[in-house]
Amino acid sequence: MAVPSFLARERIVARPGFNRWLIPPAALAVHLCIGQAYATSVYKNALVEHFDTSLTAIGIIFSIAIVMLGLSAAAFGTWVDRNGPRAAMVTSALFWVSGFLVGALGIYTRQLWLVYLGYGVLGGIGLGIGYISPVSTLIKWFPDRPGLATGMAIMGFGGGALVAAPLSRQLMSFYDPDYDPSVSGSVPDGSAVGALFLTLAAVYFVYMMFGALIIRVPADGWRPAGWDPSMVKQKALVTTESVSARNAIRTPQFWLLWIVLFCNVTAGIGILEQAAPMIQDFFRRGDTSLVTAAAAAGFVGLLSLFNMGGRFVWSTTSDYIGRKPIYMIYLGLGMLLYVGLATLGTTATWLFVVFAAVIISFYGGGFATIPAYLRDLFGTYQVGAIHGRLLTAWSAAGVAGPLIINGVLDTRGTPGQLVAADYRPALFIMVGLLAVGFVANLMVRPVAAKWHEPKRDAAASRTAERSAAR
Amino acid sequence: MTTPPQQQPTHTPVALIAFAWTLVGIPLVYGLYNTVKAALPLFTG
C-alpha cells in the first residue's frame, strides 16, 4: 500500500547536523494523545446513564479498543516499518480522530454501536499504529541508549491518561454547568461527553500532526557523535545481526517474550482494574472502610504516577543492567511484592500503597523495556513490525487480567462487602503468572544464526521494499 | 556524526527544540500537578 510522496520515508531522512533531541517530543506528541485510552473511566458513568445500559456494555468500548490496538499493531507493523513514522503518525491521527468523531455521532444519536465502531474499532486501529509508529525510529536515533529512548515515548502513553483525566473533567463541567467533578456522584449529561469527544478530536489532531511534521529518520549508517558500536562491550543477548518480522515470529525467543509481556501485563491489570475498591476493601471494618473514597481516588492517581514513572526510570535502567536482568526484577521481585500485598497488605495503609506502587511501576517498565529487548535480540531491521506483533500479548492480557480478578471476586461476595481475604486467590494467581513469566525470561537465549538476514540481501530487500512503496 | 558526504548539512534551531519540548511538557506538567493534587488525600486522610 503506497503512501503520498510527502509522507514517504525518503522525504524525512535527516540531513547531517540534525539534532536528534527533536525526535522524543515528536514521539511524545503522539503517545500523549493516544494515552487518553486509559482515562475512559472519567465518562463511563455518564455513558451508562446516557445509553441507559450497564457498566459492562460501556466497558466493552475500552475492551474493543485494546483488542484492536494489538491486532492493528500486528497487522500494520511491517507497513509502518516500510513507510516510515510520518506516514504512520498521520494514519494513526486520522483513525484516532475519526474514532472520536464517529463516537460523538453515536452519543448524539444514542446509537451505542456507533461508539463501539468509532472509539472501539477506528480509535483502536489509531492506537495500535500510533503506539508503534515512533518506537523503531527512536531506537535508530538512540542506538547508544535504546531503553531511555523507548522509555521516553512509552512514558508519554502513561502520561496521556494523566493529562486527559483532569482535562476531560474540566471540559465536561464547562459543557454541562450542572456537573461538578468535585462532588461525589455528580455525572455529566451525554451531550457534554459528545462535546468532549469533538474537542479532544480537534486538540489531538493538531498535536499528532505536529509530531508527524517534525519527525525524521536517520540516514543509513548514521550514528551519534563519539559513539562507535565496535567499541561497545559485546553482550551475549545484544545482536548486530538483523532478523525479519516474518522470521522473528518463528523463533522461540519471540514467543518467550510474548509470554513475559502477557504475564507482566495481566498481573499489573489485576491491580489497576480494581485499585480504588481494593484499597477500601483491604481496610474494611464492618460496613465502613478506614480509607475514604477521596483517598481511594488519590491512590488511583498515585498508581498512574508510578505507572508513568516506571516506564521511564526502569527502561532507562535497563540500558545499564541489561534487558534480561531487569525483567528478572520485574517478574521475580514482582512475585515477592504480590505475596507481600496478599499477606502483609492489611497491616498498614502505607505498606499496601508501597507494594502496589512498585508493582505498577514494574507493569509500566515492562511495557517500555520490551522494544529495547526486541532490538537486542532481533536487531533494528524490522523491530517496529516485531514489536507490533508482540503487542497481541497486551490484547490478550487486557482480556485475561479483568477476567481473573473479576471472576475471583464474583465468587467471593458482592462489591462493597468484600475484604482482603477475598482478593488473596486472585493475587496468588498473579504470583503464579509472574512465575511463568520469570521462567520464560530465564529461557531467553540469543537468536539462532539461521534466522539472521544475509547482510547484503537484507540491504537489497530494504531498498526493493522502499522502491515498491514509491 | 557519520553521514553520507553528498548531503547538505542542516542546523536544527535550538528554539524549535525548546518549542517542541514545551508543547509536550506543558500538558505533562498540568497532568502531573492534577494527579499529585488528587493523590494528596491518600496521605492527609
Side-chain angles (χ1 to χ4, degrees), chain A residues 15-19 21-22 24-25 28-29 32 152 162-163 166-167 170 207 210 221-223 225 279 292 294-295 298-299 301-302 305 308 353, chain B residues 1-4 7-12 16-17 19-28 30-32 34-36 38-43 45:
Chain A
R15 288 188 286 162
F18 180 83
N19 191 320
W21 287 99
L22 200 54
L28 278 167
L32 278 172
M152 271 189 288
L162 256 62
V163 178
L167 180 66
Q170 287 187 333
Y207 259 84
F210 175 73
W222 177 89
R223 63 182 62 144
I279 191 170
T292 62
F299 174 60
L302 194 78
L305 282 176
M308 188 181 89
V353 171
Chain B
M1 294 180 192
T2 308
T3 48
Q7 287 186 307
Q8 289 294 313
T10 185
H11 170 71
T12 313
L16 176 62
I17 298 172
F19 174 71
W21 277 102
T22 305
L23 206 63
V24 295
I26 286 173
L28 260 179
Y30 163 83
L32 281 171
N34 278 284
T35 307
V36 169
L40 281 179
L42 185 61
F43 303 102

Side-chain angles (χ1 to χ4, degrees), chain A residues 172-235:
Chain A
M172 288 190 295
S173 66
F174 174 73
Y175 292 127
D176 176 8
D178 292 335
Y179 167 58
D180 184 351
S182 63
V183 175
S184 177
S186 179
V187 176
D189 63 32
S191 62
V193 184
L196 169 73
F197 271 34
L198 295 176
T199 312
L200 291 180
V203 173
Y204 288 157
F205 185 76
V206 171
Y207 259 84
M208 293 172 86
M209 286 299 151
F210 175 73
L213 188 71
I214 63 171
I215 193 81
R216 295 288 184 278
V217 293
D220 286 340
W222 177 89
R223 63 182 62 144
W227 185 73
D228 182 355
S230 65
M231 299 295 286
V232 177
K233 188 184 167 194
Q234 286 300 305
K235 294 175 186 164

